[in-house]
Amino acid sequence: MNTKYLIICFLLLAQAVSAEETTNWSFEIKGGHFESAEAQWADFYGNNRFPAYGVGLAYRLNRQFEIGLEAGYLRDEGRGFAPLHGITTGDVKYRLYPVHLSVTALGKFSQNQWLVPYLGLGISRYSYDIETEQQSTITGALNGHQYRGGVQLLLDSLEKSAAYHLDRNFGIVNTYFFLEAQRLEVNSEDADLSGTAYLGGIRFEY
C-alpha cells in the first residue's frame, strides 16, 4: 500500500469524523411559568406564579457538551403594600430580565437519537425593575446561579419533509421540542428572586 493511498484514506476518514462530530450552533425559544420562592410573593401579587419567556444561543463543543447564553423576561402585576399602615396601595408591575451563561451536558450518543436528556449549570445576572403607582420605579441587579435539566424530543423523523426543507433552505440540521425545569438562586439583603421555572420550547441546531 503506497503513501499516496494512505494519505487519501486518512483524509477520507478525517472528513467522515469531522462530518459526524462537527461543532455547531443551536438556537432556542422557550416559554412557561416561574414560581417564586419568596414567602410573601402571593401577598403582593395574588399568587407566586407568573409567565416566563426566554431565548438562548449555544455553541456545541462536541456531542455531549455545549456552552450557552440565555436571556429571559419575566413579568408579574399586583398591589403594593404599605407596612406602616397595614394596607395595600397602588398597582405594582414587576419585571425581571435574567441572563445566564451556562455549561450543559447532553446525553446524546448519535446524530439521530430521538430522545436526549440534559443537565446544566451556570452563572446569572438578574436585572429588575419594580414600578409602583404614584411612586418612583425601583431598579437594580443581582448576581446568582442557575441549575437546569430537561429532555429534548427530535422532531425530524415525525415530519421528514419539513426537516428536509429546513436543512436545505436554512441549514437547520435538527429540530427538537423540549421540556425544561430551571432552579434559580438569587438571594441578598435587598431582594429574594429565587424560584423555579417550568418551560417548554423549540430548539434548532445548525
Side-chain angles (χ1 to χ4, degrees), residues 3-201:
T3 303
K4 182 178 179 180
Y5 183 74
L6 285 174
I7 293 174
I8 292 174
C9 290
F10 175 79
L11 291 175
L12 290 174
L13 178 61
Q15 183 178 9
V17 172
S18 176
E20 178 68 12
E21 298 291 346
T22 299
T23 58
N24 56 65
W25 294 89
S26 65
F27 176 73
E28 295 180 349
I29 304 173
K30 60 185 68 175
H33 74 268
F34 180 83
E35 295 184 1
S36 174
E38 168 59 53
Q40 293 184 316
W41 194 273
D43 296 337
F44 299 129
Y45 298 99
N47 60 67
N48 70 335
R49 299 175 59 180
F50 50 95
Y53 309 96
V55 294
L57 183 68
Y59 181 76
R60 199 171 70 186
L61 302 173
N62 54 45
R63 190 173 281 163
Q64 280 81 38
F65 292 96
E66 65 183 27
I67 298 175
L69 184 66
E70 179 183 327
Y73 173 69
L74 298 84
R75 187 176 189 273
D76 201 5
E77 297 183 0
R79 301 287 292 176
F81 184 69
L84 294 179
H85 303 286
I87 60 173
T88 57
T89 58
D91 294 335
V92 178
K93 294 180 180 179
Y94 169 86
R95 290 178 287 267
L96 177 64
Y97 311 95
V99 176
H100 313 289
L101 178 62
S102 61
V103 176
T104 302
L106 301 100
K108 185 173 183 178
F109 304 99
S110 66
Q111 183 66 23
N112 297 316
Q113 183 176 325
W114 69 276
L115 198 64
V116 181
Y118 62 93
L119 294 172
L121 58 88
I123 56 175
S124 307
R125 180 70 171 175
Y126 300 80
S127 301
Y128 64 89
D129 63 69
I130 304 172
E131 182 182 340
T132 305
E133 186 178 0
Q134 298 180 350
Q135 297 184 38
S136 58
T137 300
I138 300 172
T139 61
L142 296 172
N143 296 322
H145 52 275
Q146 174 211 58
Y147 307 100
R148 68 192 186 108
V151 61
Q152 302 168 355
L153 174 65
L154 183 63
L155 300 179
D156 296 4
S157 59
L158 301 179
E159 186 48 72
K160 295 183 179 180
S161 176
Y164 171 79
H165 288 292
L166 285 173
D167 189 3
R168 182 174 182 179
N169 298 325
F170 302 101
I172 296 174
V173 179
N174 290 319
T175 303
Y176 294 88
F177 170 75
F178 65 89
L179 294 173
E180 176 179 288
Q182 297 182 0
R183 177 63 185 181
L184 313 179
E185 296 287 347
V186 194
N187 201 336
S188 75
E189 295 180 357
D190 299 324
D192 183 1
L193 306 181
S194 301
T196 304
Y198 300 95
L199 306 164

